[in-house]
Amino acid sequence: MADDFFASLGMKSVPEDFWEKSMLWKPEDRDVVCHASAWDFCDRGDFRIKQCTEVTMEDFVTAHHEMGHIQYYLQYVDQPLVFREGANPGFHEAVGDAISLSVITPSHLRQVGLLNKAEDDYENDMNFLFTMGMEKIAFMPFGYLLDKWRWKVFSGEISSERLNEAWWDYRIKYQGISPPVNRTEENFDAGAKYHVPSNIPYIRYFVSFVLQFQLHQAMCDAAGYEGPLYKCDVYKSKEAGRLLSSVLALGSAKPSPEAIRILTNGRTTKMDAAPILEYFEPLMRWLEEENAESPLGWRGENGADVKTSIGVLITIVLPIISRFIFE
Ligand SMILES: [Zn+2]
């Protein structure tokens, strides 16, 4: 279905042998690393996904994420090897997620037969946006803090004697969460995150979570869509596909500000949180009313007076994100 979606935009389908060479299910005869990944074998023909897919909504979205990487590989295939990468690593992570923003709209899911009925009313809209907020907004402080912590470990600012303490300092400072039991330097909780022992940079996901809404908005504009951003589905829009292809085909041959300039039709060369704010604007309004009487935020010091709820988190984090404008 991910392949069909890209094809519906007039973009590229995967080559025939992708389906044979990829590992799309968990094999029974051997141990494998199940963390999903997409691979460019750099011979302009061999592209594969490794994923222990199960038939769940989460894996449906992950499949689109990985196919976004594959689509990028296919689009920049004619570039010299040195330019066959994303405009920046965040771009590479954002493609499939941006497509998913169309795919998971209730109207699209109904259209492709994955949802029997999609009620189109205020309560359902808020439930949808709240679910999306849990996915996209609640992630952002984590996406921000992981490499903040790791870079300070690398620079020595966080010494090897307080790896776990510093980790949880950030977890409470940015996410407002604390461990359910006492943790010590005997524990190494950051190591439970795949990208830490695998030595994969992480700030790209934070960048991607801002950028994917810019991609979504730009494609919706190209498709001539009018209406709230969270309901936009660019399925079958050749215009949206042409715009996305023109950015992806560059690979890293042009600097990322140039890629953003092309994407936004000259409106900006910067990463911009305005589209993610526009997407969640109705939820923001609902939360402000809902939390009008509640004290906002948390205090992390010594575990005192920690107030956390996802609603509070969202009301605080959204305005913070709006201040992030990247070069
Ligand atoms: Zn990825």
Side-chain angles (χ1 to χ4, degrees):
M1 291 184 80
D3 196 46
D4 284 348
F5 196 99
F6 282 111
S8 89
L9 303 178
M11 298 179 76
K12 297 189 180 181
S13 295
V14 296
E16 231 4 88
D17 60 359
F18 164 89
W19 302 106
E20 280 150 48
K21 290 178 170 171
S22 290
M23 190 201 88
L24 300 178
W25 309 95
K26 185 175 182 175
E28 283 171 3
D29 58 344
R30 62 190 190 276
D31 274 338
V32 298
V33 175
C34 270
H35 193 94
S37 54
W39 299 83
D40 181 353
F41 283 68
C42 302
D43 66 355
R44 297 192 155 128
D46 195 349
F47 310 98
R48 307 182 199 179
I49 283 174
K50 170 183 71 62
Q51 183 179 353
C52 300
T53 323
E54 290 175 25
V55 184
T56 62
M57 190 64 192
E58 191 182 347
D59 277 6
F60 184 62
V61 171
T62 302
H64 283 78
H65 176 91
E66 300 305 335
M67 288 294 269
H69 288 306
I70 300 286
Q71 185 64 219
Y72 220 147
Y73 302 151
L74 292 169
Q75 290 290 338
Y76 59 51
V77 71
D78 292 327
Q79 293 285 351
L81 181 63
V82 69
F83 295 136
R84 272 183 256 154
E85 47 184 41
N88 67 37
F91 259 92
H92 229 303
E93 299 304 334
V95 176
D97 283 16
I99 293 301
S100 291
L101 291 175
S102 283
V103 172
I104 56 173
T105 55
S107 64
H108 183 85
L109 292 177
R110 190 175 44 192
Q111 201 179 337
V112 297
L114 284 174
L115 197 62
N116 288 335
K117 57 174 186 175
E119 308 266 356
D120 199 10
D121 59 31
Y122 181 74
E123 191 176 342
N124 276 284
D125 287 352
M126 289 311 112
N127 280 337
F128 171 75
L129 276 177
F130 199 93
T131 308
M132 291 303 289
M134 297 282 279
E135 189 65 40
K136 303 293 182 183
I137 304 297
F139 170 78
M140 298 206 70
F142 182 74
Y144 178 68
L145 73 81
L146 195 144
D147 271 353
K148 193 178 172 71
W149 173 85
R150 188 157 46 177
W151 291 339
K152 288 199 175 180
V153 171
F154 291 160
S155 74
E157 215 172 313
I158 294 173
S159 73
S160 56
E161 283 75 49
R162 50 182 300 273
L163 292 177
N164 215 38
E165 183 194 340
W167 172 254
W168 282 108
D169 282 352
Y170 279 158
R171 294 271 272 166
I172 197 159
K173 179 175 179 186
Y174 293 111
Q175 290 187 278
I177 63 173
S178 44
V181 294
N182 239 357
R183 309 302 279 166
T184 70
E185 292 305 313
E186 291 296 300
N187 312 115
F188 181 58
D189 294 310
K193 179 63 193 158
Y194 171 79
H195 299 71
V196 172
S198 305
N199 199 29
I200 299 171
Y202 207 73
I203 198 67
R204 60 183 57 173
Y205 299 99
F206 181 76
V207 173
S208 160
F209 273 52
V210 176
L211 202 52
Q212 62 189 247
F213 288 88
Q214 279 183 278
L215 284 166
H216 181 59
Q217 188 189 53
M219 283 191 286
C220 293
D221 283 350
Y225 171 81
E226 284 174 19
L229 196 52
Y230 71 97
K231 288 188 177 178
C232 168
D233 169 20
V234 298
Y235 192 43
K236 294 181 178 169
S237 168
K238 303 288 182 286
E239 292 77 14
R242 255 196 302 277
L243 177 66
L244 186 56
S245 298
S246 70
V247 173
L248 303 191
L250 292 172
S252 61
K254 296 260 199 275
S256 59
E258 178 64 11
I260 295 174
R261 193 189 63 75
I262 295 167
L263 178 72
T264 59
N265 211 358
R267 280 198 303 278
T268 182
T269 56
K270 293 180 176 178
M271 281 190 63
D272 181 6
I276 191 174
L277 288 168
E278 182 187 328
Y279 185 98
F280 285 106
E281 197 272 336
L283 179 67
M284 187 79 164
R285 251 185 298 137
W286 181 83
L287 285 165
E288 277 166 358
E289 279 172 34
E290 194 69 15
N291 292 317
E293 307 295 318
S294 313
L296 298 181
W298 57 85
R299 257 188 289 132
E301 293 86 6
N302 310 318
D305 196 22
V306 178
K307 294 188 187 68
T308 58
S309 77
I310 183 61
V312 170
L313 182 61
I314 290 173
T315 47
I316 291 169
V317 173
L318 271 176
I320 293 173
I321 299 166
S322 68
R323 290 203 291 271
F324 282 109
I325 305 288
F326 293 80
E327 290 301 325

